[in-house]
């Protein structure tokens, strides 16, 4: 069994150029999008963890401005001031996050257009879908929420239908799907603000960002055409997919913990919780996903026992992920040619656990909490990268 990194003659991608006509610059745009997506994820974590998620109560503007107010006295008559007073030191964070997320959306749109250019009516479909979403934004700002939602849904349907019809030899399916995901991600960002940090939406927004990142990582690797050949590639790929699944569950639990302000529900105790191994808890109340609209969730609304249940679930699942990823690391270490990736996975796993413990013991310092979010993204990068590159040897 061996691993090689040289693309073979039957691989659909060679030196960044697809035999089906993929643009030679496609992979460069894809990798730029990967880097920007990571920045959006990390900065988004900074915004959320610094309690700036509602600092611009309107969307997509910030107190009616395309940028953000630089002083509170500039904003006196905008309707958003009735929702929340201006906090300049926080408002720039939220609006800047929206701006870089918008730039990422433009890059994903370019990828979708470039990959669809040789599909029958491919470019018009992408343009129409994007135009419908673009028209929906000013309608939403005017209060025409039903019409705006209908246009966004139609745009999403066009992209999803295209992704289902198209093959992926030129990455058109992956690109159309990524654009659909990032549009829905923008809607989640809007609902995060307008629904006052509703936990299920905040968690979904986190998962949507990491799904976008994962799709872009997969696309970028496939675009450059550098497969890793393994005799048992199929079995390793199954292990990687399971690893991504368990990591995804843990990320969702982490998002639920953060959205419900349960990170310090156990105080600074670890591995115990409030001085006990199994303290009083309320799992039934902890995982109610929908509680209606109109409640301000900033700071959390759950009682101590429900928050403890969330923290316990997060810790238990962390143990499962830790054991699984270490086992996968050992498997890869024993595979010739995979020691570099195995070492990276092992280091990232250990670091992520260490950051999680440090969050509790140090009282959730902002830098450590943001790094913990970045660690989850980097673990996904390692797993998705391997999933995208592993192939069986050519006959």
């Amino acid at each position: 069994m061996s691993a090689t990194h040289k693309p073979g003659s039957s691989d659909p991608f060679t030196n960044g150029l697809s035999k089906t006509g993929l643009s030679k610059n496609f992979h460069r745009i894809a990798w730029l999008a990967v880097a920007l997506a990571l920045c959006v994820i990390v900065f988004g974590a900074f915004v959320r963890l610094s309690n700036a998620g509602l600092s611009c109560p309107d969307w997509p503007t910030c107190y009616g401005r395309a940028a953000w107010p630089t002083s509170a006295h500039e904003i006196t008559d905008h309707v958003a001031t009735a929702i929340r007073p201006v906090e300049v030191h926080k408002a720039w964070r939220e609006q800047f996050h929206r701006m870089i997320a918008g730039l990422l959306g433009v890059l994903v749109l370019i990828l979708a257009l470039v990959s669809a250019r040789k599909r029958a009516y491919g470019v018009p479909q992408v343009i129409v879908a994007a135009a419908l979403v673009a028209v929906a934004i000013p309608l939403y700002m005017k209060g025409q929420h039903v019409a705006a939602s209908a246009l966004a849904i139609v745009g999403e349907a066009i992209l999803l239908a295209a992704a289902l019809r198209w093959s992926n030899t030129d990455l058109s399916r992956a690109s159309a799907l990524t654009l659909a995901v990032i549009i829905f991600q923008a809607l989640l960002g809007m609902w995060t603000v307008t629904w006052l940090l509703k936990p299920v939406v905040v968690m979904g927004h986190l998962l949507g960002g990491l799904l976008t990142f994962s799709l872009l990582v997969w696309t970028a690797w496939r675009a450059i055409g550098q497969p890793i050949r393994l005799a048992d590639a199929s079995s390793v790929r199954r292990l990687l997919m399971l690893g991504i699944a368990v990591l995804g569950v843990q990320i969702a639990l982490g998002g639920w913990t953060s959205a419900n302000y349960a990170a310090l529900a156990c105080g600074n105790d670890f591995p115990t919780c409030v001085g006990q191994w199994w303290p009083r808890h309320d799992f039934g109340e902890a995982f109610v996903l929908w509680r209606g609209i109109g409640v301000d969730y900033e700071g959390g609304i759950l009682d101590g026992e429900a928050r403890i249940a969330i923290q316990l679930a997060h810790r238990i699942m962390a143990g499962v992920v830790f054991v699984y990823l270490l086992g996968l690391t050992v498997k890869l270490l024993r595979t010739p040619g995979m020691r570099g990736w195995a070492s990276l996975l092992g280091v990232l796993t250990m670091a992520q656990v260490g950051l999680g413990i440090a969050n509790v013991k140090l009282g959730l310092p902002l830098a450590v909490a943001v790094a913990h979010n970045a660690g989850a993204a980097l673990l996904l990068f390692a797993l998705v990268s391997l999933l995208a590159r592993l192939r069986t040897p050519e006959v």
Side-chain angles (χ1 to χ4, degrees), residues 378-393:
L378 292 176
L379 276 171
L380 271 178
F381 175 83
L383 295 172
V384 173
S385 294
L386 285 173
L387 186 64
R389 297 183 68 189
L390 284 181
R391 304 283 190 283
T392 56

Side-chain angles (χ1 to χ4, degrees), residues 24-182:
K24 64 181 181 180
N25 291 315
F26 183 92
H27 66 290
R28 295 185 177 91
I29 301 172
W31 280 113
L32 179 60
V34 168
L36 185 56
L38 181 60
C39 291
V40 171
I41 289 168
V42 174
F43 196 80
F46 168 70
V47 172
R48 184 178 72 256
L49 293 164
S50 61
N51 296 317
L54 290 180
S55 56
C56 292
D58 48 331
W59 185 94
T61 55
C62 185
Y63 291 95
R65 297 183 171 227
W68 54 81
T70 56
S71 62
H73 73 269
E74 295 178 9
I75 307 297
T76 57
D77 57 352
H78 193 272
V79 65
T81 57
I83 302 173
R84 185 170 296 266
V86 179
E87 295 180 276
V88 175
H89 67 290
K90 291 184 178 181
W92 76 267
R93 305 173 190 178
E94 172 63 11
Q95 195 65 354
F96 181 72
H97 178 242
R98 294 177 185 177
M99 289 178 175
I100 58 176
L103 180 57
L104 176 61
V106 172
L107 289 179
V108 173
L109 174 60
I110 292 172
L111 290 174
L113 288 170
V114 170
S115 64
R117 61 197 175 94
K118 292 196 174 182
R119 296 283 174 174
Y121 305 105
V123 170
Q125 288 179 76
V126 173
I127 290 176
V128 168
L132 288 173
V133 174
V135 172
I137 294 174
L139 288 179
Y140 176 85
M141 294 172 66
K142 293 177 181 178
Q144 300 178 32
H145 297 168
V146 174
S149 299
L151 288 178
I153 290 171
V154 173
E156 287 280 76
I158 292 172
L159 291 171
L160 291 174
L164 289 173
R165 288 197 314 272
W166 296 341
S167 68
N168 211 39
T169 55
D170 53 3
L171 296 176
S172 56
R173 171 180 290 174
S175 298
L177 180 60
T178 306
L179 182 58
V181 169
I182 206 167

Side-chain angles (χ1 to χ4, degrees), residues 276-315:
Q276 303 175 54
W277 286 104
W278 197 247
R280 289 178 61 86
H281 53 271
D282 186 353
F283 279 98
E285 186 68 16
F287 291 96
V288 176
L289 297 181
W290 189 262
R291 297 178 185 273
I293 300 174
V295 178
D296 189 340
Y297 291 92
E298 188 170 27
I301 64 169
L302 298 180
D303 61 21
E305 291 186 4
R307 297 191 200 206
I308 284 174
I310 294 173
Q311 178 64 207
L312 290 175
H314 188 48
R315 290 186 182 189

Side-chain angles (χ1 to χ4, degrees), residues 203 206-207 210 246-258 314:
M203 180 183 69
L206 171 65
L207 291 175
L210 289 167
V246 296
L247 179 60
V249 172
Q250 176 62 356
I251 289 171
L253 282 172
W256 191 248
T257 300
S258 178
H314 188 48

Side-chain angles (χ1 to χ4, degrees), residues 177-210:
L177 180 60
T178 306
L179 182 58
V181 169
I182 206 167
I183 289 173
F184 188 67
Q185 178 70 350
L187 294 175
L188 286 171
M190 175 188 70
W191 294 329
T192 296
V193 174
T194 57
W195 290 356
L196 305 176
L197 301 182
K198 191 171 183 61
V200 70
V201 177
V202 174
M203 180 183 69
H205 194 46
L206 171 65
L207 291 175
L210 289 167

